[in-house]
Amino acid sequence: MEIDAALERFWIFLRGERNLASATRRAYRADLALFADYWRREWPHRPVEDADRASLRPFLALLGQRDWRRATLLRKYESLWSFFHFLVRKGISSNNPTDGIPRPKPERRVPDFLGEGEVSRLMAPREPGRRSGSSLRSARDAAMMELLYSSGLRAEEMVALNVGALDPWEGAVRVFGKGSRERVVPVGESALNGLRAYLKMRGIDILVGAEGAAVPLFAGPSGKRLNVRTLRRVVEQAGRAAGLSNAHPHVLRHSFATHLLNRGCDLRSVQEMLGHKNLSTTQIYTHVTTDRLREVYEKAHPRA
């Protein structure tokens, strides 16, 4: 099969059967575009299902020469493996030539997070500006940051929320995460109070069910749903005002997980709340707990 035809079938598979998030699909496209260029150039008349290790070796060497982070390089290997695995699964190819090829070891990166005192500074109320609508904007921004930290949501999940996703009686929010996987995440009282105040200023009750299903939870002055770029800007501006250089939505997500683990929450529960498919993804936070245990140990043990 010609490379472009095979890739087109793969895109349909990712969008339909796998139901992957659009950002993940874009990453696959970017990764496999490099391979497609290589294949067209080096093997213009060879069906892609005839690929073997010998024909892939120059491409893998090319990947290794680029100045990429190890995580980026590993993702490109994984994208190539997934593509050939799809060809085998659909009966287009008889084997996956990437099976058994050594891959870069994933780097164990320490997630960036804020201390509890830094989060308190970030959430501290500030005087709203004098521009029209700034009080509403301030209430919205405060509610967004409270919810990010309270529930550990991804930025994309936050901006996709509708009012009907909130259940104020249960103190929870219903979220559709990566791969459209649904989960219910607790919402703390501080976040609920902020959301009530913000929605009251918009003239909206916290509605549950179909009545509030289509109303964006966070909106701009025109009433349209906020985008991730605006959310990121809000958090970064609040961070600068609080004297923090590393404040952004994903740092609040990391802080949520880290603080729960430090205070005794079990790893499996944190995995559920974060919406991680695999427990191994959540384990990046365990180093923080270990560091905290070491600190406590050294302060408490007489012969530490």
Side-chain angles (χ1 to χ4, degrees), residues 191-212:
L192 281 174
N193 289 338
L195 288 164
R196 289 189 186 102
Y198 164 56
L199 291 173
K200 184 177 180 180
M201 293 177 74
R202 284 175 61 188
I204 299 174
D205 292 324
I206 295 185
L207 306 171
V208 178
E211 195 174 356

Side-chain angles (χ1 to χ4, degrees), residues 262 289-302 304:
N262 277 346
T289 304
T290 304
D291 291 346
R292 174 62 178 159
L293 287 175
R294 182 72 196 177
E295 180 185 338
V296 171
Y297 172 83
E298 289 179 347
K299 287 181 178 179
H301 198 284

Side-chain angles (χ1 to χ4, degrees), residues 70-71 74 102-108:
R70 197 182 308 171
L74 180 59
R103 303 179 192 185
K105 290 184 178 180
E107 54 189 345
R108 190 169 180 82

